[in-house]
Amino acid sequence: MFFDLFSKKDFCSICGREVAVKKLHPLDGGNICADCSSIIGLGERFDVKLTADEYRSFAADRVQIVKLRIASFVSANPGIMLDEGETCFFISLADIGKEKKRSITVKKGNTTERTTEEYFEKYPCRLLVTGKRILAIADQNGFEIKLAKLSDIRFGQDRVTFYSGSKAYLVFFAKKQAEKLHTLWNLLGAAGAADIDISVEALDSEITLTSDVEAYKEK
């Protein structure tokens, strides 16, 4: 039963990230992870016993938590020209993957035979995610997808696949960067579902994180 706490997982009701149950604070109607709870001064103090009213208060502050967490992703210098009102939330070195096939020789007992093997050619890129588009800047096979044209996005441990119409764009990341993008995507989804304004103007007061987070913890 004790070890179930480490293996069993659930989702944070704020950012949507899947984490071990042991790393979640229970809230009315859901849970809150350490990253989100740190915004309200709770952090990873899972031994702290809070009243039902305190938990309800934290859940009610969901909009502010989401805005502060999204603001922590904002890049002040993305290195590209942004449109008016466009905000860059994510920048990472990555590799665009293109599926290829090649003929290889396989040894079976005393004989050999030719077969086809699938593999990925990788093209280095710099991937950016803004509030309007996904942009992969590369010498070869770069791409740009307007978020309005994005039909799906699927996350793996070290890769993300973006779908737009009939096209699929595979991008390989370091595992931590893939996890970071997944968290950002969940937060953007939470903001959209709650109709939270994440424009530059709306986030402006949250972008100076240190003072804002500390002030918020003192509420």
Side-chain angles (χ1 to χ4, degrees), residues 37-57:
S37 63
S38 66
I39 295 293
I40 49 182
L42 195 57
E44 295 191 8
R45 296 172 58 205
F46 296 100
D47 58 325
V48 175
K49 304 299 181 184
L50 301 175
T51 67
D53 285 342
E54 286 174 319
Y55 277 129
R56 278 193 289 272
S57 175

Side-chain angles (χ1 to χ4, degrees), residues 23-27 30-34 37 42-46 55:
K23 294 292 187 180
L24 287 166
H25 290 290
L27 288 178
N31 303 285
I32 184 169
C33 71
S37 63
L42 195 57
E44 295 191 8
R45 296 172 58 205
F46 296 100
Y55 277 129

